[in-house]
Amino acid sequence: HKQGHVHQHGLGTLDISQQGETLTVSFRSPLDSLIGFETEPANDQQRAQAKALLDQLQDAASVVQVPTAAQCTQQPPVINAPTLLDDDDEVDDHDGGHDGDDHDHDHDHATDKDEHAHGHHADLAVTYTFTCKQPAAIDALKVTAFGNWPRLKHIDAAVVNDQGQQAQRLEAGKAVIRWKAS
């Protein structure tokens, strides 16, 4: 996914995969499209915005709405936003499902901080994993991100499941991606 990613303000990506009872949703967006800045928070207002964003992203419903009939349980999200997360920041603890790559994360974190200090663009990426008791009930996901982040104009969504794969560009007025469930 990283290979083809282009940093374009107002454009996010959503990668959805469903295999059996597992649904995985990965959302990526330029930070500017979510909170209006891409650097480390420079003042109390920006720190508050960053914390509010990270808190909001704990719930997948801030990005997508999974059909209730699917009876899905969300695991803790994995959030990657190096410019917003400090090593001693309590929000970094939410990244609990890191699967032992903390050493790499710390290294990338320092590298990203140095890069961002020199004006590079910054993205946020979050991955949600669900276990669904009724996976066949998932035939569409409503993207709620547009209502939460008005600076986000388009999302390029891709779905991979047992029926194949498809891609679609979503926007506020067309915020549902549909597919056939297994």
Side-chain angles (χ1 to χ4, degrees):
H1 301 296
K2 289 181 183 176
Q3 235 176 345
H5 177 73
V6 175
H7 182 95
Q8 181 180 336
H9 293 184
L11 176 65
T13 59
L14 193 62
D15 293 317
I16 303 160
S17 71
Q18 182 184 6
Q19 187 170 19
E21 295 182 344
T22 303
L23 175 69
T24 305
V25 176
S26 296
F27 172 68
R28 175 185 284 270
S29 171
L31 274 171
D32 180 77
S33 301
L34 305 177
I35 54 177
F37 60 91
E38 296 188 329
T39 58
E40 289 186 40
N43 55 44
D44 288 343
Q45 179 186 352
Q46 287 186 347
R47 278 187 283 282
Q49 284 178 280
K51 181 174 179 354
L53 174 65
L54 293 169
D55 288 347
Q56 184 178 28
L57 288 169
Q58 292 303 308
D59 185 358
S62 64
V63 177
V64 294
Q65 186 175 28
V66 179
T68 3
Q71 300 175 28
C72 297
T73 305
Q74 177 191 319
Q75 308 306 313
V78 176
I79 299 173
N80 184 356
T83 54
L84 301 186
L85 295 171
D86 287 336
D87 286 333
D88 6 328
D89 196 329
E90 67 182 59
V91 203
D92 208 20
D93 293 343
H94 293 297
D95 206 345
H98 230 297
D99 296 332
D101 65 346
D102 285 339
H103 176 70
D104 292 340
H105 172 74
D106 292 341
H107 175 74
D108 292 343
H109 183 83
T111 304
D112 286 348
K113 272 189 170 185
D114 293 342
E115 287 176 8
H116 295 303
H118 295 97
H120 286 110
H121 297 289
D123 288 350
L124 175 138
V126 59
T127 300
Y128 301 101
T129 303
F130 300 88
T131 303
C132 304
K133 291 181 183 172
Q134 300 294 326
I138 304 172
D139 59 354
L141 290 182
K142 180 179 183 192
V143 178
T144 54
F146 296 110
N148 291 316
W149 303 294
R151 296 170 66 99
L152 197 58
K153 301 302 180 198
H154 301 280
I155 294 177
D156 285 339
V159 176
V160 177
N161 63 9
D162 295 337
Q163 282 69 47
Q165 53 188 349
Q166 64 173 312
Q168 190 177 330
R169 178 163 275 197
L170 306 173
E171 53 194 44
K174 190 177 83 171
V176 175
I177 184 156
R178 300 183 185 284
W179 69 91
K180 291 181 180 177
S182 52

